[in-house]
Amino acid sequence: MDATNMPTRTGGQILVDALVTQGVDHVFCVPGESYLAALDAFYDTDVEITICRQEGGAGMMADAYSRLTGRPGICFVTRGPGATNVSPAIHIAGQDSNPLIVFVGQVGRDMRHREAFQEVDYAAVFGSMTKWAAEIDDAARIPEFVHRAFMTAMNGRPGPVVLALPEDMLSGDAIAPATPYAEAIPTAPAPSAMDRLAGLLATAEKPMMVLGGTRWTPQALNDIRAFAETFDLPVGCQFRRQMLFDSTHPNYAGDVGIGPNPALARRVREADLLLLVGGRMSEMPSSSYTLIDIPTPAQTLVHVHASAEELGRVYAPALGIHADAASFAAAAAALPAPARSPWSEETRAANAAYHAWSGTPPPLPGACDYGAIVAWLRDRLPADAVICNGAGNYATWLHRYLRYRGFGTQLAPTSGSMGYGVPAAVAAKRLDPDRMVLAFAGDGCFLMNGQEFATAVQYALPILAIVVDNGMYGTIRMHQEREYPGRVIATPLDNPDFAALARAYGGHGETVEETAAFAPAFERAVASGKPALIHLKVDPEAILPTTTISEIRERALAG
């Protein structure tokens, strides 16, 4: 369309039209006067808006959206405090390689650089946490900025983008051209690289494949499973990426995460061919960089990643394959079956070791045995149930004993951020009301974003939150006892009645103090049809599946 024939629109209308062009169907926000013109423009669209109770929760919901759809999650927050409140979600999206776009209100252009009310230099504040942070000065360029934001967030190693929106820019009029729909650009592996990989597999004796990162799709998981079956490879998943391979599959070897199965850690270290697909093998999955030597691994390392900058950044691979996970998986599935696979017996042994490690949780101190409850859930949850969690020792049981069956069944930050579970559950249930969605949280974790339970009530989203209450910041207490035994400070918590809190919000609440009471409480919670919360009161001694607080202290004092 000729520019002279284009309609004049407000910056807010141009922005919302640009988002609709990019296929945006959902936005998560906390409203603010700084971007009222954009909110008003949403009024005339079919875009769903989830009103959140705190910006951190809004950002985490948008992050969860990106994990489930592959498209950038969209979050709107107001200037100053709103922007700084959303920073945990931006950090999560950065470390977890998830596409997220945060739009932040900004002071008027005529007030900048005076430290006006709630003014922040967003490019300076978020520059090190994002792939791109910028401010849109001209409403006519909004579609250009939005298109670039989508392309930047999705491509290479995905990540967050922050765009600041001056208030007067949004309310002023302009003429702006449309931009095309932005898509993630496939990065296919070179045929020569796949030939080299086939050659390395042909001579390997103890190969191991580890899956991680993002840019996966349901089809990519099917393809990587087919590749693993053709070559009968043992497969591990990086920390909180367990949904990438069905944990009931006979080739599954377990999660390469915090405190991994010692047998699995040994297999990774002793592999003669280590195929790392999609992930970075950063501190957590590498057991503090002890599984792979830096810079030159002892294993023959084949590293597949969508960003060329990640290849050789920490580990010098014998073969670096510049490809996104989905494209690599498709190419790997097409490789011809090998003439030999002498490691099949080792693959069976790896799977047996996983089941021995993750079978029956050992009994825990106290009347309410959280491990037994997790095992009970494992045997009853639907295969497509979405398991959401933040950070804390309570998650150890989830990673070790639950079974993650496929794409979209795990929403958990690899960055180890607390407070993620409830917002993620709200987003998951908002996107797919028919799936069962559970949010696990410790007592400290829940109270960081537990107010989003009110969001679940507002939208009648029957999520189920399970709050594991041991009356302390358990992970920190554990480290405290290891490093400074008996000198307990700043970790105890006095908690509310979480079940009563859920009822006060308008949901269903249950309190469980004995293991046998959990099953009927769970059934009542599900049958209620409401957002529900089960408050588990567990013994603070039950800090890990393998040890207690007292045992940790005694070992530290003896050492």
Side-chain angles (χ1 to χ4, degrees):
M1 181 185 293
D2 187 277
T4 57
N5 297 322
M6 289 182 182
T8 298
R9 295 171 289 166
T10 67
Q13 291 170 326
I14 294 169
L15 174 60
V16 171
D17 288 347
L19 293 175
V20 170
T21 296
Q22 297 306 327
V24 171
D25 57 5
H26 211 117
V27 167
F28 303 89
C29 77
V30 175
E33 72 276 15
S34 60
Y35 69 93
L36 279 176
L39 281 176
D40 181 72
F42 278 116
Y43 189 89
D44 298 314
T45 72
D46 294 327
V47 176
E48 294 276 1
I49 296 182
T50 297
I51 308 161
C52 306
R53 302 309 174 105
Q54 204 260 9
E55 290 85 0
M60 291 176 194
M61 290 183 201
D63 175 86
Y65 176 100
S66 78
R67 296 170 193 251
L68 293 168
T69 67
R71 296 289 291 180
I74 305 299
C75 178
F76 275 77
V77 300
T78 197
R79 61 197 178 203
T84 50
N85 279 346
V86 81
S87 62
I90 294 171
H91 182 262
I92 289 169
Q95 287 223 326
D96 287 31
S97 304
N98 291 316
L100 172 69
I101 303 176
V102 177
F103 292 96
V104 183
Q106 175 61 302
V107 301
R109 289 168 291 183
D110 59 338
M111 300 183 188
R112 286 181 304 183
H113 312 301
R114 295 175 178 171
E115 197 179 346
F117 182 63
Q118 298 181 341
E119 181 180 5
V120 171
D121 182 341
Y122 296 107
V125 170
F126 294 117
S128 66
M129 296 171 61
T130 61
K131 292 187 71 177
W132 182 41
E135 187 166 308
I136 306 179
D137 283 336
D138 182 355
R141 296 185 64 188
I142 288 175
E144 172 196 343
F145 273 74
V146 170
H147 184 269
R148 179 178 168 185
F150 273 77
M151 294 297 289
T152 301
M154 288 188 294
N155 282 293
R157 176 184 167 186
V161 169
V162 170
L163 290 180
L165 310 170
E167 188 172 359
D168 63 321
M169 184 275 296
L170 288 176
S171 59
D173 293 333
I175 295 174
T179 53
Y181 181 74
E183 296 188 74
I185 300 170
T187 306
S192 59
M194 298 306 294
D195 290 342
R196 286 186 61 192
L197 173 60
L200 291 171
L201 285 166
T203 59
E205 299 293 333
K206 298 177 68 176
M208 176 83 196
M209 181 163 66
V210 177
L211 309 179
T214 54
R215 297 195 65 176
W216 293 90
T217 64
Q219 182 57 50
L221 299 195
N222 292 336
D223 289 339
I224 207 70
R225 184 184 67 244
F227 169 61
E229 290 171 348
T230 298
F231 287 82
D232 204 15
L233 294 168
V235 181
C237 293
Q238 288 187 204
F239 178 57
R240 296 184 169 178
R241 304 292 193 191
Q242 290 155 272
M243 72 170 191
L244 297 179
F245 201 85
D246 185 347
S247 58
T248 66
H249 194 282
N251 287 49
Y252 188 58
D255 65 301
V256 188
I258 299 174
N261 180 354
L264 176 58
R266 185 170 58 252
R267 280 187 171 82
V268 174
R269 289 192 185 96
E270 295 178 357
D272 62 348
L273 176 60
L274 182 60
L275 176 56
L276 175 58
V277 183
R280 297 182 294 121
M281 208 64 172
S282 54
E283 181 185 353
M284 293 297 104
S286 69
S287 295
S288 297
Y289 300 105
T290 63
L291 297 184
I292 307 175
D293 292 343
I294 300 172
T296 307
Q299 310 93 329
T300 298
L301 176 65
V302 178
H303 190 184
V304 181
H305 203 280
S307 172
E309 288 77 13
E310 293 297 332
L311 298 174
R313 180 182 178 187
V314 178
Y315 310 103
L319 172 60
I321 300 180
H322 183 203
D324 63 84
S327 296
F328 171 80
L335 290 175
R340 57 186 286 280
S341 55
W343 52 78
S344 292
E345 185 175 329
E346 192 64 24
T347 299
R348 304 287 83 76
N351 183 249
Y354 162 67
H355 283 284
W357 173 255
S358 65
T360 302
L364 298 172
C368 184
D369 190 326
Y370 175 51
I373 287 169
V374 170
W376 185 89
L377 286 169
R378 176 184 65 197
D379 297 335
R380 287 162 178 81
L381 292 179
D384 68 345
V386 184
I387 309 300
C388 312
N389 63 270
N393 274 30
Y394 71 89
T396 304
W397 281 266
L398 308 180
H399 302 329
R400 181 167 172 177
Y401 297 108
L402 285 184
R403 301 289 185 254
Y404 296 91
R405 303 294 305 276
F407 188 86
T409 58
Q410 183 181 35
L411 295 175
T414 68
S415 62
S417 183
M418 296 176 71
Y420 188 85
V422 173
V426 170
K429 199 69 173 176
R430 198 87 160 99
L431 267 64
D432 193 344
D434 295 329
R435 292 177 77 176
M436 178 175 279
V437 179
L438 282 76
F440 286 84
D443 44 348
C445 185
F446 179 81
L447 283 175
M448 291 199 174
N449 279 309
Q451 69 272 17
E452 300 303 344
F453 191 88
T455 306
V457 172
Q458 178 167 342
Y459 292 97
L461 304 172
I463 65 171
L464 175 56
I466 298 177
V467 179
V468 186
D469 178 4
N470 61 2
M472 61 183 176
Y473 286 117
T475 302
I476 310 308
R477 173 70 181 278
M478 175 185 69
H479 291 299
Q480 194 171 59
E481 293 287 5
R482 284 174 176 166
E483 303 298 328
Y484 305 98
R487 297 175 61 84
V488 179
I489 185 170
T491 50
L493 295 172
D494 288 334
N495 289 313
D497 182 336
F498 289 108
L501 182 63
R503 292 190 291 270
Y505 277 130
H508 180 88
E510 297 271 354
T511 300
V512 171
E513 300 187 57
E514 296 183 351
T515 308
F518 179 80
F522 179 87
E523 299 298 341
R524 288 191 298 269
V526 172
S528 74
K530 298 179 178 181
L533 184 150
I534 300 178
H535 180 186
L536 301 183
K537 292 189 174 182
V538 302
D539 193 314
E541 282 290 321
I543 196 66
L544 284 173
T546 53
T547 192
T548 66
I549 282 287
S550 294
E551 289 169 345
I552 292 171
R553 184 190 308 119
E554 290 165 6
R555 285 194 295 270
L557 291 169

